[in-house]
Amino acid sequence: MADNDDVPFNREFPLQPGVVEQVRPGVRRVLCNNPSPFTFTGTVSYIVGEGKVAIIDPGPDDAAHAKALLDAVRGETVTHILVTHTHRDHSPNTPRIKAATGAPVYAEGPHRASRPRFESEKHNPESGADRDFRPDIEVKHGDVIEGAGFALEAVATPGHTANHLAFAWAERSINFVGDHVMGWSTSIVAPPDGSMIDYMASLERLEQRPEQLYLSGHGPEIPEGTRFVRFLARHRRAREASILHRLAKGEADIPTMVRAIYIGLDPRLANAAGYSVLAHLEDLVARGVVATDGDPVIGGTYRMA
């Protein structure tokens, strides 16, 4: 397959909630029963190591999923809890796992926006932020979290959220990429929590890394990670081109652009698509390609500069 070919999304993921599945030696996964248009079949939590293990992304506030994870590691010692980012489908179960295991929690930090909120903006409920989350140990880009038989390097991947981290197991060529890269769909980038400028830079950062097997927060593993990252970057550039194509025909608001660009969109995703368009528009306005009156906000009207 040539690099300039599209890489199709893969929506085959037969894993059932609560079932423990070994993905590779030293890596197990458990699916939470929280399917939705945003989470696909649900959130995937990972168990890294054997005997003494780390749990990555304990998932939403869900007692049944916490029990499934704890049952999966019965007889083992949980030494680390890692959280890729603070959306409510990834981090709120952390206190349950911590209370049961006593393991310290590692993450970039509390939830925060990618930029200050504009005066004209209301709080965006689509962000689904876990604003109560606080890690025990704040992790920076390049920090290595070492356990029994594993070493996970924190890779700063802001964009989907400002505090998003991937965790790279270089020795196994595995990268736990959270929601930054998903095999079943593109990630939602919703300002001000998310940033398209950051998202594209993080894709580039991942492309420069050697790991090839990506394990995502939702959906199946991605076997050719860097090739898939290049596909995602092309996909986003094509989305930007579609926005510019529509604006070349005249001034438009975001709902008009969504209708023109997202043909056959699930109506439940229309709001999220609008915020994704806004993320592109923020970038285009910052680059002086597109103009708007006042701040680039969800209710604004946009035109070619």
Side-chain angles (χ1 to χ4, degrees):
M1 180 171 57
D3 276 348
N4 61 358
D5 287 346
D6 266 2
V7 183
F9 290 115
N10 177 12
R11 299 180 65 86
E12 290 294 317
F13 193 52
L15 184 64
Q16 294 299 304
V19 175
V20 187
E21 180 180 69
Q22 181 162 307
V23 193
R24 292 290 188 276
V27 181
R28 288 162 280 173
R29 63 185 169 195
V30 183
L31 177 69
C32 183
N33 189 21
N34 62 323
S36 80
F38 298 94
T39 61
F40 191 37
T41 58
T43 302
V44 184
S45 302
Y46 293 94
I47 300 163
V48 181
E50 293 168 359
K52 293 183 177 179
V53 305
I55 290 177
I56 299 177
D57 283 349
D61 181 5
D62 187 300
H65 185 58
K67 181 179 185 302
L69 279 173
L70 294 169
D71 285 349
V73 297
R74 195 171 302 285
E76 298 178 284
T77 302
V78 178
T79 57
H80 302 73
I81 301 166
L82 281 62
V83 175
T84 60
H85 67 293
T86 47
H87 275 161
R88 285 199 295 261
D89 55 328
H90 285 261
S91 54
N93 237 8
T94 301
R96 281 194 179 96
I97 303 300
K98 180 177 168 61
T101 64
V105 178
Y106 296 75
E108 196 264 7
H111 192 83
R112 67 179 193 281
S114 291
R115 58 152 173 81
R117 197 173 297 280
F118 299 134
E119 284 296 319
S120 55
E121 278 181 317
K122 296 175 183 167
H123 171 62
N124 169 22
E126 285 294 324
S127 70
D130 176 8
R131 299 183 188 280
D132 297 325
F133 178 85
R134 298 289 183 278
D136 296 312
I137 298 161
E138 294 194 354
V139 180
K140 300 186 302 296
H141 176 68
D143 287 352
V144 177
I145 300 161
E146 295 195 37
F150 62 85
L152 300 173
E153 180 186 348
V155 183
T157 44
H160 178 65
T161 61
N163 65 356
H164 197 290
L165 291 176
F167 295 104
W169 193 358
E171 185 187 4
R172 303 286 178 92
S173 192
I174 292 172
N175 206 337
F176 298 91
V177 290
D179 282 8
H180 192 76
V181 179
M182 299 188 293
W184 73 282
S185 176
T186 54
S187 301
I188 290 169
V189 180
D193 282 24
S195 161
M196 189 61 66
I197 299 166
D198 291 348
Y199 179 83
M200 295 299 285
S202 294
L203 285 181
E204 193 172 326
R205 170 172 276 168
L206 288 177
E207 190 188 341
Q208 303 306 314
R209 295 190 60 86
E211 297 84 25
Q212 289 304 311
L213 180 66
Y214 284 9
L215 299 179
S216 174
H218 306 275
E221 62 270 31
I222 302 161
E224 295 181 275
T226 52
R227 180 172 289 177
F228 193 77
V229 161
R230 288 195 289 273
F231 158 68
L232 287 179
R234 287 197 304 274
H235 183 87
R236 293 291 185 176
R237 286 193 291 270
R239 185 74 76 212
E240 177 184 291
S242 297
I243 291 168
L244 293 175
H245 179 73
R246 174 57 190 83
L247 291 179
K249 298 177 180 178
E251 190 173 70
D253 61 12
I254 286 175
T256 301
M257 285 183 258
V258 168
R259 286 192 297 273
I261 295 164
Y262 292 84
I263 308 302
L265 178 71
D266 182 335
R268 294 173 295 177
L269 295 176
N271 200 25
Y275 276 97
S276 189
V277 169
L278 174 62
H280 279 289
L281 289 166
E282 277 194 347
D283 184 13
L284 290 164
V285 169
R287 284 154 47 195
V289 179
V290 167
T292 186
D293 296 324
D295 297 316
V297 294
I298 195 72
T301 303
Y302 296 84
R303 60 188 178 273
M304 297 300 290

